[in-house]
Amino acid sequence: MDSATLARDLRKKPDDPRSIFGTIMTVLAGLCLVFTIVPLFAVLGFVIVRGASRLNLDLFTKLPPPPGLTGGGLANAILGTIIVVALATLIAVPIGVLAAVYLSEFSGNNRLAGAVRFATNVLAGVPSIIAGMFAYGLLVAPLLGSQKGLLGFSALAGAVALAVLMLPTIIRTTDEALQIVPQDIRWAAFGVGAYNYQAVLKIVLPAALPAILTGVTLSVARAAGETAPLIFTALFSNFWPKGVTEPIATLSVLVYNYAIVPFKAQQELAWAGSLILVFLVLLTSVLARLATRRKMY
């Protein structure tokens, strides 16, 4: 039987049940894709339409106006968001990466490793407001009787709350990234006389770096948009940040505060802040995609 006859025999008829089923599933998959994309672009379009009108230099250089007045900007909230998220990243990344290195490279998959992985999965599903209450009870609220909290309402307390939310993503992505690095690479390092920690630091971690950066950027994107933990910890301020031990303005809390007031100028600033937050999330997502384009090994 020649190739042309074989191809003709293997070609499915249009009325073949498998062809009909395949067509139906293709259409359903396309509809699901549309239902997924339409809300995304609807949200983006709505936020752009409502917030783009306030995009100007004052938005990035001036403080919010007093209630009832026009003008002003979001400079303090933008700077505060950068400060709080940067502090949270400095707290969460070392702890998360080191925990994942232990789980993947040094634990031997013992019971402790299993317990840590289970706890990480549970923590990933905990509502963000619980993390805020945890940081509030630990660092802000009085601990015993009349004693004060360790930090009070501050940027650092807000960073701790966000770091708790960032940890599960960083630990899970780093753990998985280290596990998919081929074992042959480790054996090659051991073959030339490297110790275990040397192989991890100089060979395994650099090979898994793109996936680790992806987890970090995704966790940063989540932390930048959180509101509830910061209401409990960082509170808010209408002025420039004075330090990491003082209350601080953030974009998410500003959007929450200004969206419910009856003043049009503040509502416009809330939409502009929403647009900036969406842009920051999109930017971190793009950076994550760029990081994954590099081969791990």
Side-chain angles (χ1 to χ4, degrees):
M1 180 180 297
D2 57 9
S3 58
T5 304
L6 180 60
R8 185 170 57 253
D9 293 340
L10 293 177
R11 189 180 300 117
K12 297 178 181 179
K13 297 180 180 180
D15 57 349
D16 186 83
R18 289 179 295 178
S19 298
I20 297 175
F21 180 76
T23 302
I24 294 175
M25 294 306 298
T26 302
V27 173
L28 289 177
L31 290 176
C32 292
L33 178 63
V34 172
F35 290 148
T36 302
I37 294 178
V38 167
L40 171 63
F41 283 97
V43 170
L44 290 178
F46 194 74
V47 171
I48 290 174
V49 170
R50 296 297 299 268
S53 61
R54 285 292 279 113
L55 291 180
N56 51 45
L57 184 60
D58 290 346
L59 187 71
F60 300 94
T61 58
K62 293 185 177 181
L63 297 175
L69 299 182
T70 60
L74 308 174
N76 63 332
I78 296 174
L79 180 59
T81 299
I82 294 174
I83 292 174
V84 173
V85 174
L87 289 174
T89 304
L90 291 176
I91 296 171
V93 170
I95 297 175
V97 172
L98 289 176
V101 168
Y102 168 78
L103 293 175
S104 177
E105 304 297 325
F106 299 102
S107 68
N109 291 324
N110 55 22
R111 291 184 178 181
L112 178 60
V116 171
R117 289 191 174 99
F118 176 77
T120 301
N121 293 332
V122 173
L123 185 60
V126 171
S128 60
I129 193 172
I130 303 301
M133 293 179 62
F134 164 75
Y136 175 81
L138 180 66
L139 303 175
V140 178
L143 298 180
L144 294 174
S146 62
Q147 294 182 5
K148 295 182 179 179
L150 298 178
L151 294 174
F153 291 109
S154 62
L156 192 54
V160 172
L162 295 183
V164 172
L165 296 176
M166 296 171 66
L167 276 175
T169 302
I170 296 175
I171 293 175
R172 293 170 64 179
T173 54
T174 304
D175 185 20
E176 294 173 1
L178 294 174
Q179 289 186 29
I180 64 177
V181 174
Q183 188 66 29
D184 294 344
I185 294 180
R186 298 174 177 82
W187 291 338
F190 298 152
V192 296
Y195 292 103
N196 196 4
Y197 76 92
Q198 291 176 323
V200 171
L201 291 178
K202 297 183 179 181
I203 305 296
V204 179
L205 278 177
L209 185 60
I212 295 174
L213 291 177
T214 300
V216 172
T217 53
L218 292 176
S219 64
V220 168
R222 181 189 180 186
E226 289 293 344
T227 304
L230 298 179
I231 294 176
F232 280 94
T233 53
L235 203 59
F236 190 71
S237 172
N238 287 319
F239 307 101
W240 291 104
K242 298 180 180 179
V244 297
T245 58
E246 298 290 334
I248 194 169
T250 54
L251 281 172
S252 57
V253 177
L254 182 143
V255 170
Y256 171 78
N257 290 337
Y258 284 6
I260 58 178
V261 298
F263 305 109
K264 183 178 179 181
Q266 275 69 27
Q267 293 176 357
E268 291 178 349
L269 287 177
W271 283 111
S274 301
L275 179 58
I276 295 174
L277 276 177
V278 170
F279 173 76
L280 291 176
V281 173
L282 288 176
L283 179 62
T284 53
S285 299
V286 170
L287 292 176
R289 297 287 295 181
L290 292 177
T292 55
R293 291 179 63 181
R294 174 188 162 190
K295 293 184 179 180
M296 291 183 56
Y297 47 83

